[in-house]
Amino acid sequence: MIADLGVRVREERRLRNLTLDELATASGVSRSMLSEVERGSRTPTVLVLDRIATGLGTSVARLLRPESPERRILLRHERQDVAQADGWQRRILSPVVPGVEFEFMRTVIEPGVDAGVFTPHGPGTREYLAVESGTLRLSLDDEVTELHAGDSVYYAGDCHHGFANPGAEPCVYYLVMDVR
């Protein structure tokens, strides 16, 4: 899996005619870390993987899974890619389709966990979020909003965005990202 990730990162970087130094500048990830990821000798954290995807102008899903040209794609639960860190898990529910930069995710954040702040995506990127259960503290640049079960929000993805669960129960939310 990690070797496949490295190959896809390298392919996406080369498709965009970027050097390692240029991707390092665009993503905020060091050249040495990028090189290790591409060689398959280092597994990036979810935040680092997101920064790499953002620097490439693509989605995490595209880095984790190859494109599928089929008209109908079934992703059984056990075949869905999962990115996780201490206290939270992000499951990618959408397939990678040629010419489409779209990602549909289900995230679970345990009580009291701060998943961190994600870097801005490219201008025009849109994100739609809906909370299924629990409480989510969403920060968009310097603005913080608390969302509860049943709440939803749309926001431009070209800002710093952070996700934390200040509540006493797990927070489950769905996020759709249309990358530009």
Side-chain angles (χ1 to χ4, degrees), residues 93-113:
L93 305 173
S94 53
V96 179
V97 181
V100 176
E101 292 295 342
F102 173 88
E103 197 167 31
F104 177 35
M105 300 162 275
R106 179 182 188 268
T107 302
V108 178
I109 303 179
E110 296 300 324
V113 171

Side-chain angles (χ1 to χ4, degrees), residues 123-146:
T125 296
R126 300 177 295 233
E127 297 194 20
Y128 306 84
L129 186 149
V131 177
E132 179 179 290
S133 62
T135 302
L136 179 69
R137 181 176 299 130
L138 173 67
S139 62
L140 302 173
D141 287 332
D142 295 328
E143 184 181 330
V144 177
T145 304
E146 199 162 279

Side-chain angles (χ1 to χ4, degrees), residues 62 65-73 95-98:
R62 185 168 297 280
R65 179 175 296 277
E67 286 185 354
S68 182
E70 287 88 23
R71 289 178 48 122
R72 179 181 178 272
I73 303 165
V96 179
V97 181

Side-chain angles (χ1 to χ4, degrees), residues 154-166:
Y154 157 83
Y155 55 91
D158 59 353
C159 63
H160 287 90
H161 38 290
F163 308 92
N165 179 358

